[in-house]
Amino acid sequence: MQKMCAAITAVGGYVPEYVLNNAELEKMVDTTDEWIQTRTGILERRILKGEGMGTSDMAAEAVKQLFAKRGIGPDDIDLLICATTTPDFTFPATANVIADKMGIKNAFGFDINAACSGFLYALTTGSQFIETGKYKKVLVVGGDKMSSILNYEDRATCIIFGDGAGCVLLEPNEEGNGIIDSVLRSDGAGRVYLHQKAGGSVKPATMETVMNKEHFVYQEGQTVFKFAVKNMADVAAEIMERNNLSGDDVAWLVPHQANKRIISATADRMGLSEEKVMINIERYGNTTNGTLPLCLWEWEKKLHKGDNIVLAAFGGGFTWGATYIKWAYDTK
Ligand code: UT7
């Protein structure tokens, strides 16, 4: 008998309606459509508008869609893990808010904060619960309202990020399909290059921190870029090597959508041509924890049972990782 794996059995996604394109950003900061496109690959991103709207609202939309697709309801869920860097509140966990909005009552939930690698951490954590045999349906959500922590006067950061959320359902699989392996890493020394300065216990919010714009994303882009290119490619190569996968064996790379140049470097290292790489950065930008599930959501119909898929991410912390999945279903 095959070892029991945790398999993705359904995918949901949501992006807000409002489109912030490069032309509009040209009016807000000193930038050009040409600069943004050539340096990042981004043409537009989505922004969640509306007072009182947060990450949980996008996530709840994605979960609603997933329930409909899989034909299940809130009572079926055992555990909800939410990966986010822009929680609705410092506490309680956004997972609990999503559960409440969706009527999920028989489950427990918690958040994972690993910046752009959060979805991979959450997916791997969720798979462990399935593999114990005690949990049958685990929801893994990844989403961010990055517009809530962006300084729209800082051209180096506000052009990159967007808002969005996606989710997957994990269920037991005994056919050998599902999450096969993960390589997850972190290095806290990298925190100085990508972080939010104030609002935590070290520097709680004051009038001064607000005036100094310390509640926004701070990024030293070039340094982060160098670490991202190296580490995302290294970890993708490592997971291929230890699972005896060549470029020909891999059907899809699902890369974190931070910069098209980082994606290309990872694909090159894996020996993959561009047709095998999921890229939607041009339409959504970097939705942080949302990038990977939103790719799966958009490409779901093209995925086939047994496909070898490698997901890879790099983010603040620093955090990075890669996960190898054997896809478990065909979409009719
Ligand atoms: O997802 C989490 C992890 N994050 C990442 O992986 C992001 C990694 N970093 C990057 O993607 C890139 O570093 C950026 C897209 C953020 C920046 O691109 P870059 O090619 O590294 O530009 P740079 O920071 O080296 O800046 C080059 C020049 C600078 O001008 P000077 O000093 O050469 O005169 C910047 O001031 O480009 C300038 N610049 C801009 N110019 C026009 C920076 N942002 C902009 C802009 N428009 N939006």
Side-chain angles (χ1 to χ4, degrees):
M1 202 176 79
Q2 290 274 2
K3 173 183 171 268
M4 197 239 285
C5 287
I8 294 175
T9 57
V11 183
Y14 177 81
V15 288
E17 268 173 40
Y18 189 85
V19 177
L20 174 60
N21 61 24
N22 291 348
E24 192 176 346
L25 279 168
E26 283 178 348
K27 294 182 199 137
M28 295 159 70
V29 287
D30 181 14
T31 191
T32 61
D33 174 45
E34 203 254 333
W35 192 96
I36 300 172
Q37 282 202 43
T38 50
R39 298 291 180 117
T40 70
I42 303 168
L43 277 72
E44 58 189 42
R45 62 293 285 147
R46 301 297 180 97
I47 303 295
L48 183 65
K49 299 274 185 181
E51 207 176 321
M53 299 294 280
T55 298
S56 69
D57 294 290
M58 297 186 289
E61 288 298 329
V63 171
K64 201 183 295 171
Q65 190 189 82
L66 180 149
F67 281 177
K69 277 161 96 173
R70 184 76 184 105
I72 58 169
D75 291 345
D76 297 313
I77 302 301
D78 302 312
L79 164 62
L80 193 164
I81 307 175
C82 175
T84 187
T85 307
T86 50
D88 283 18
F89 309 101
T90 303
F91 74 93
T94 302
N96 293 19
V97 184
I98 300 166
D100 182 49
K101 286 182 176 167
M102 291 307 300
I104 297 170
K105 303 274 185 220
N106 303 329
F108 72 109
F110 56 87
D111 287 0
I112 283 186
N113 178 355
C116 299
S117 311
F119 184 75
L120 283 191
Y121 281 38
L123 194 65
T124 307
T125 304
S127 73
Q128 310 297 303
F129 282 91
I130 295 284
E131 286 177 22
T132 65
K134 273 179 76 180
Y135 299 86
K136 303 296 178 207
K137 287 189 171 52
V138 173
L139 258 179
V140 179
V141 176
D144 274 294
K145 183 185 170 185
M146 291 307 290
S147 61
S148 66
I149 54 167
L150 288 177
N151 175 2
Y152 283 96
E153 292 173 352
D154 175 11
R155 67 179 183 173
T157 53
C158 73
I159 55 125
I160 306 169
F161 295 97
D163 302 338
C167 59
V168 299
L169 183 70
L170 295 178
E171 295 186 75
N173 181 293
E174 289 182 357
E175 296 180 316
N177 293 324
I179 296 161
I180 308 295
D181 194 13
S182 284
V183 179
L184 301 176
R185 298 271 152 73
S186 62
D187 178 2
R191 69 190 183 280
V192 293
Y193 306 113
L194 179 51
H195 59 264
Q196 181 180 316
K197 292 190 184 303
S201 58
V202 167
K203 207 174 201 190
T206 61
M207 287 293 282
E208 200 187 352
T209 61
V210 173
M211 297 297 285
N212 290 342
K213 303 185 192 305
E214 291 178 321
H215 295 267
F216 294 123
V217 172
Y218 169 85
Q219 175 171 261
E220 293 178 26
Q222 241 184 56
T223 309
V224 177
F225 183 90
K226 283 180 196 150
F227 276 96
V229 164
K230 179 171 185 327
N231 289 321
M232 207 163 117
D234 276 358
V235 92
E238 185 181 338
I239 205 151
M240 285 174 73
E241 200 177 311
R242 77 184 198 189
N243 289 281
N244 297 314
L245 296 170
S246 70
D248 289 342
D249 300 321
V250 175
W252 293 100
L253 166 65
V254 192
H256 173 52
Q257 312 281 311
N259 187 314
K260 195 145 180 247
R261 291 180 288 149
I262 300 172
I263 297 173
S264 300
T266 306
D268 285 350
R269 181 76 178 280
M270 294 170 72
L272 298 184
S273 54
E274 203 171 284
E275 311 87 71
K276 289 184 167 187
V277 185
M278 297 186 192
I279 302 177
N280 57 15
I281 191 171
E282 71 281 2
R283 281 172 293 124
Y284 303 142
N286 180 352
T287 56
T288 303
N289 287 278
T291 60
L292 299 179
L294 283 173
C295 280
L296 293 175
W297 173 59
E298 289 207 323
W299 267 263
E300 185 187 22
K301 288 197 176 81
K302 294 188 180 168
L303 307 180
H304 300 295
K305 194 170 172 175
D307 276 355
N308 291 316
I309 299 178
V310 173
L311 296 87
F314 182 89
F318 290 137
T319 58
W320 66 103
T323 295
Y324 164 38
I325 295 177
K326 266 186 126 42
W327 196 249
Y329 62 97
D330 292 306
T331 305
K332 288 176 196 79

